[in-house]
Amino acid sequence: MTDLLTENGYLWPSQYPRPFDHQRVTSEFLVRNPRSFVFNDIGTSKTLSALWAMDFLIIHKVVRKTLVIAP
């Protein structure tokens, strides 16, 4: 599978240096699969991956609003 976000020039904005591979895969999954659920393990930065996916979709005008539910 190609990295859709990187191919489209996505810059991965964050206060952290760069995303881990599992974060890129999770963001890619969320972009490609509408109405997704993410059940990754604790501490894998699921919320940040979701925010990157949302940012990508908003930038490309695929969606206008999104909802992330996290404890």
Side-chain angles (χ1 to χ4, degrees):
M1 178 189 311
T2 60
D3 192 350
L4 175 70
L5 280 67
T6 303
E7 281 183 1
N8 284 300
Y10 189 65
L11 299 176
W12 302 96
S14 176
Q15 67 184 12
Y16 306 107
R18 57 182 223 128
F20 292 108
D21 290 336
H22 66 273
Q23 290 173 309
R24 288 177 182 261
V25 170
T26 301
S27 296
E28 174 87 15
F29 173 78
L30 291 170
V31 167
R32 289 183 182 266
N33 299 289
R35 300 184 195 143
S36 302
F37 291 94
V38 178
F39 297 113
N40 293 1
D41 287 335
I42 294 172
T44 57
S45 299
K46 297 175 286 293
T47 305
L48 184 55
S49 296
L51 292 172
W52 278 323
M54 290 182 338
D55 185 49
F56 179 84
L57 292 172
I58 290 170
I59 288 171
H60 286 79
K61 297 183 175 148
V62 177
V63 298
R64 291 185 316 149
K65 297 179 183 178
T66 58
L67 174 66
V68 175
I69 300 174

